[in-house]
């Protein structure tokens, strides 16, 4: 058990007695250039909003992350009914993983002002994918999340 606790501490989490990872706050105020590059260069970003207890991370969910004006955005493919989206909006925090790196983050509604730029970013990052028109649909658009490091 000591080795597990040590490994978890190195990654910024804590282990509970039943081996669930829980919240350990560390502050990061902005995405670094390297972080943004890693997110831009990887197809997938996994989101894990906190569960209802506000300390235990939810199951990682695969998303497509986009960079628009040095901000990170994701959309829920199933719109506002997506469980991870609902958790992100209610808990407002959790973590994300990309390229084997984990970040503590806050989740915020993106707002409509960036919708067109996000649509264009989907086309640029995933050219020819049949999933792009789905992600540009009304449901996913209404479930656009800005991910902010904390």
């Amino acid at each position: 058990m000591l080795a597990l606790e040590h490994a978890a501490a190195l990654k910024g989490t804590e282990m509970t007695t039943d081996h669930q990872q829980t919240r350990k706050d560390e502050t990061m105020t902005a995405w670094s250039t390297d972080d943004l590059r890693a997110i831009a260069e990887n197809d997938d970003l996994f989101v894990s909003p906190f569960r209802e207890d506000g300390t235990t991370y939810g199951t990682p969910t695969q998303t497509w992350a986009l960079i628009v004006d040095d901000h990170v955005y994701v959309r829920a493919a199933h719109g506002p009914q997506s469980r991870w989206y609902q958790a992100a909006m209610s808990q407002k925090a959790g973590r994300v993983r990309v390229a084997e790196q984990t970040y503590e983050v806050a989740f915020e509604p993106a707002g409509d002002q960036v919708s067109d730029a996000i649509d264009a970013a989907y086309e640029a990052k995933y050219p020819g994918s049949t999933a792009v028109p789905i992600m540009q649909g009304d449901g996913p658009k209404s479930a656009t999340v800005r991910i902010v490091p904390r």
Side-chain angles (χ1 to χ4, degrees):
M1 178 74 156
L2 213 43
L4 267 177
E5 289 169 350
H6 179 70
L10 292 175
K11 293 188 179 210
T13 60
E14 295 176 350
M15 299 299 282
T16 61
T17 54
D18 60 357
H19 304 298
Q20 289 182 333
Q21 291 183 344
T22 59
R23 174 182 193 162
K24 181 178 179 184
D25 289 328
E26 293 180 19
T27 304
M28 180 170 93
T29 57
W31 295 109
S32 73
T33 302
D34 289 340
D35 295 334
L36 291 172
R37 184 178 350 218
I39 293 166
E41 291 176 353
N42 282 274
D43 286 342
D44 301 318
L45 178 135
F46 293 84
V47 296
S48 300
F50 287 124
R51 294 186 187 274
E52 294 79 16
D53 65 9
T55 59
T56 306
Y57 296 102
T59 302
T61 302
Q62 181 180 3
T63 64
W64 283 359
L66 305 163
I67 309 298
V68 174
D69 296 330
D70 292 334
H71 297 289
V72 177
Y73 297 94
V74 296
R75 285 181 174 162
H78 298 289
Q81 297 80 18
S82 296
R83 291 175 72 192
W84 77 260
Y85 174 80
Q86 292 176 0
M89 292 299 93
S90 67
Q91 296 301 317
K92 303 191 184 330
R95 69 176 170 199
V96 298
R97 186 181 81 239
V98 64
E100 304 306 318
Q101 181 67 38
T102 301
Y103 303 93
E104 298 296 316
V105 297
F107 299 107
E108 337 178 313
D112 293 335
Q113 68 278 11
V114 293
S115 186
D116 290 342
I118 291 170
D119 284 350
Y122 270 112
E123 291 173 8
K125 187 170 180 179
Y126 305 99
S129 170
T130 58
V132 168
I134 294 167
M135 298 308 291
Q136 294 170 327
D138 290 340
K141 276 188 180 186
S142 67
T144 305
V145 178
R146 180 174 170 211
I147 300 175
V148 182
R150 55 179 189 88

